[in-house]
Amino acid sequence: MQVHVEVLNFYARQMRLLDALDVEGYAGTFTEDGVTDHAHRGERVEGRAALIAGAKLALPRYAGAAVRHWNDHYLIEEVDENTLAVSYCSLVTRTDADGNVTFEPTFAIEDVLVRLDGELYTRSRTIHRDRPAAAA
Amino acid sequence: MQVHVEVLNFYARQMRLLDALDVEGYAGTFTEDGVTDHAHRGERVEGRAALIAGAKLALPRYAGAAVRHWNDHYLIEEVDENTLAVSYCSLVTRTDADGNVTFEPTFAIEDVLVRLDGELYTRSRTIHRDRPAAAA
Amino acid sequence: MQVHVEVLNFYARQMRLLDALDVEGYAGTFTEDGVTDHAHRGERVEGRAALIAGAKLALPRYAGAAVRHWNDHYLIEEVDENTLAVSYCSLVTRTDADGNVTFEPTFAIEDVLVRLDGELYTRSRTIHRDRPAAAA
């Protein structure tokens, strides 16, 4: 229970930093060696410095829109006392200057969080873009 | 509190099965005699076997899109020690192969969950499609 | 933890009243002197009576659509024993009679909640419409 609220608070903070395009702040919620794996495009970024550099390159993509991530269906598995495997899905909106809302594809995310000195950090993030199931 | 997290975990699991079009897995989160009532179209399905048969008939509707249910505003009433009345609203996205997102109508849902051998199951689900209020 | 669930229950109830266009019910979830500040359009409404009058004027805007607020990323700060500063973001849908869904701009909201006789009320609500960041 306590862990559930701790995890929700972590994402509330991390998503605000991400959506504010606060690249350094967002990177600071990862461990120093934190990994982001965009599984759907075979792109893997290792460490805070690379995360910051990559995010800065991507910033122009977000010019002209306020981005928001809307997460749901968190499942939390306590791997050990200070390691959590967390999965959830994410809907991403872009709101332009006129207030028009458009959508990125939806995603499923698998994170590993670690607790260091009482605070959670993302050690790895694997992002899967939602794709239609193959016809059964 | 404990119940709140238990309920969120239940829906996180059930919605993944539903959105993965895992018909048998989804039906397994209902009691054997579980009922789904699409109140807005007067359609009532009773029992796991009928739920599976109906869902399989509906599958072609979801070809070509990855479906996601985004739920919010859970209210949980403990009817008795092992029975919960849960209501919430649901936004449903369909993401196609190109990543374009479209929307089903929004819904309000009323579930009755029962706890059997320590695990929650849906005993009944009543689905109301959102419609504009009549002019006051 | 207990506070987290208490707050979620409060919003689940308040958002239902808002989305049902139950103007008096919604106003009743504010303190008598409750304030709503639409920061993005410099509009400030003080007290329940003004809130009801303003909301009734706005009702025609919602004819022909069922409105839903989808909130995420609640952060709760306990200011004192009975005062909470709560911030979150909100996605607003409008579902028309044919089931078509359109979107309002996204918002960031800052509330101050107070607990009176064991029940939460909104004492102030400040609403910021999401706008693209200025080019860095």
Side-chain angles (χ1 to χ4, degrees), chain B residues 18-50:
Chain B
L18 175 59
D19 291 341
L21 307 180
D22 179 348
V23 169
E24 279 88 358
Y26 176 67
T29 65
F30 282 70
T31 58
E32 269 298 344
D33 62 349
V35 170
T36 300
D37 198 336
H38 290 268
H40 55 287
R41 53 181 200 242
E43 184 191 311
R44 189 181 153 89
V45 176
E46 285 195 53
R48 276 188 195 158

Side-chain angles (χ1 to χ4, degrees), chain A residues 42-114:
Chain A
E43 184 191 311
R44 188 182 153 89
V45 177
E46 285 195 53
R48 276 188 196 157
L51 183 60
I52 291 172
K56 283 191 171 167
L57 279 175
L59 279 181
R61 235 197 120 210
Y62 297 101
V67 178
R68 289 267 177 216
H69 288 73
W70 311 85
N71 297 346
D72 202 4
H73 302 312
Y74 291 98
L75 279 179
I76 302 165
E77 187 199 340
E78 300 191 46
V79 177
D80 63 39
E81 203 190 336
N82 287 307
T83 309
L84 305 172
V86 183
S87 61
Y88 53 97
C89 46
S90 191
L91 177 69
V92 187
T93 56
R94 301 165 65 101
T95 301
D96 73 12
D98 295 325
N100 298 309
V101 176
T102 53
F103 293 84
E104 306 269 314
T106 51
F107 296 93
I109 294 105
E110 296 171 289
D111 285 353
V112 176
L113 307 183
V114 292

Side-chain angles (χ1 to χ4, degrees), chain B residues 39-126:
Chain B
H40 55 287
R41 53 181 200 242
E43 184 191 311
R44 189 181 153 89
V45 176
E46 285 195 53
R48 276 188 195 158
L51 183 60
I52 291 171
K56 285 192 170 167
L57 279 175
L59 279 182
R61 235 197 120 210
Y62 297 102
V67 177
R68 290 269 177 213
H69 288 74
W70 311 85
N71 296 345
D72 202 5
H73 302 313
Y74 290 98
L75 280 179
I76 301 165
E77 186 199 341
E78 300 191 44
V79 178
D80 64 37
E81 202 190 336
N82 287 306
T83 308
L84 306 172
V86 183
S87 62
Y88 53 98
C89 46
S90 191
L91 177 69
V92 187
T93 55
R94 301 164 64 103
T95 301
D96 73 13
D98 295 325
N100 299 310
V101 176
T102 53
F103 293 85
E104 306 269 314
T106 52
F107 296 94
I109 293 105
E110 297 171 288
D111 285 352
V112 176
L113 307 183
V114 291
R115 196 184 288 107
L116 301 171
D117 295 330
E119 196 146 349
L120 291 177
Y121 295 86
T122 303
R123 193 170 67 194
S124 73
R125 167 158 297 168
T126 306

Side-chain angles (χ1 to χ4, degrees), chain C residues 54-68:
Chain C
K56 284 191 172 168
L57 279 175
L59 279 182
R61 233 196 122 211
Y62 297 101
V67 178
R68 290 268 176 213

